Amino acid sequence: MHGLVNRSIQCFLRDTYGEGLWLAVARDAGLGFDSFETMISYDDSLTGAVIDAAARRLDRPRDTVMEDLGTYLVSHPNRERVRRLLRFGGVGFVDFLHSLDDLPGRARLALPDLELPRLSLEEEGDDRFTLRCTSPLSGAGHVVVGLLRAMADDYGALVLLDHSQGGPDSDLVSIHLLEQQFAAGRRFDLAQRAG
């Protein structure tokens, strides 16, 4: 797994629960170090071990920890770049959904060796969609659920999301868009503000 992914998990745990929890998770996962390097690839098993150790330490289901990670990636002030990358997908939530197929390719423009989960959107009609998430990381679809929930809030859309298994290495996320403009979304400018 790319170091940037692992470092994002580390930052999520540290920013949300504190340095002490992160150090305990690193110890429990048997990392042998206390910080991931962003440009180094790590064995996929380390990523799973960190998530499992965090779930045990937090006494929360693994799926919940992963969903919280997805929310963090979009909503935490330290992750504004991820939010900006996602917001370039369109002016509305439906446009954003249709841009998800291209997300791994857009990310590889910046980091050629970064492998994000493969995302494939199907329109079911009546403002209903199914997003297939294929990844070597078990339960990556839960990260996508958290990310979608945060992005819906960002756009001001009201959605219902449901996660299910789509196969041995894929997850399905059912998306029902109840209202495109339910609330005022967060401000987004194409040009980043100076300062």
Side-chain angles (χ1 to χ4, degrees):
M1 190 70 58
H2 196 283
L4 185 62
V5 173
N6 290 314
R7 181 64 178 233
S8 295
I9 296 168
Q10 173 186 331
C11 290
F12 157 65
L13 293 170
R14 189 190 61 220
D15 292 346
T16 307
Y17 302 104
E19 183 74 15
L21 179 100
W22 162 248
L23 293 173
V25 166
R27 195 171 43 255
D28 292 352
L31 295 183
F33 52 87
D34 61 5
S35 187
F36 284 104
E37 296 293 330
T38 57
M39 300 308 286
I40 295 176
S41 288
Y42 295 88
D43 189 272
D44 289 351
S45 65
L46 286 181
T47 307
V50 167
I51 293 169
D52 291 340
R56 284 191 303 274
R57 279 277 169 182
L58 295 170
D59 194 25
R60 300 180 77 192
R62 183 180 198 273
D63 299 345
T64 302
V65 172
M66 294 183 77
E67 188 173 323
D68 290 348
L69 168 63
T71 301
Y72 164 85
L73 291 173
V74 174
S75 61
H76 196 277
N78 292 349
R79 300 289 154 217
E80 183 64 23
R81 290 180 181 156
V82 175
R83 175 184 176 253
R84 288 189 63 73
L85 174 70
L86 295 172
R87 282 300 297 257
F88 277 109
V91 295
F93 188 70
V94 172
D95 296 329
F96 161 73
L97 289 176
H98 285 287
S99 77
L100 289 174
D101 293 354
D102 301 327
L103 182 60
R106 287 195 320 247
R108 276 193 301 276
L109 288 173
L111 293 167
D113 57 342
L114 179 62
E115 289 295 324
L116 292 180
R118 193 171 62 241
L119 302 171
S120 176
L121 184 73
E122 294 178 27
E123 267 192 79
E124 307 294 337
D126 296 327
D127 294 323
R128 293 177 187 268
F129 306 85
T130 300
L131 183 66
R132 179 177 294 275
C133 172
T134 306
S135 174
L137 178 62
S138 175
H142 291 286
V143 176
V144 173
V145 168
L147 186 140
L148 289 174
R149 184 165 285 121
M151 288 304 294
D153 288 346
D154 205 84
Y155 279 103
L158 180 62
V159 300
L160 291 176
L161 302 169
D162 188 40
H163 177 275
S164 60
Q165 261 330 105
D169 65 344
S170 69
D171 299 278
L172 297 176
V173 180
S174 299
I175 305 160
H176 183 188
L177 178 60
L178 299 173
E179 195 168 330
Q180 174 94 343
Q181 296 179 333
F182 178 73
R186 285 177 56 198
R187 181 182 169 96
F188 179 75
D189 295 315
L190 191 58
Q192 194 169 6
R193 295 180 190 190

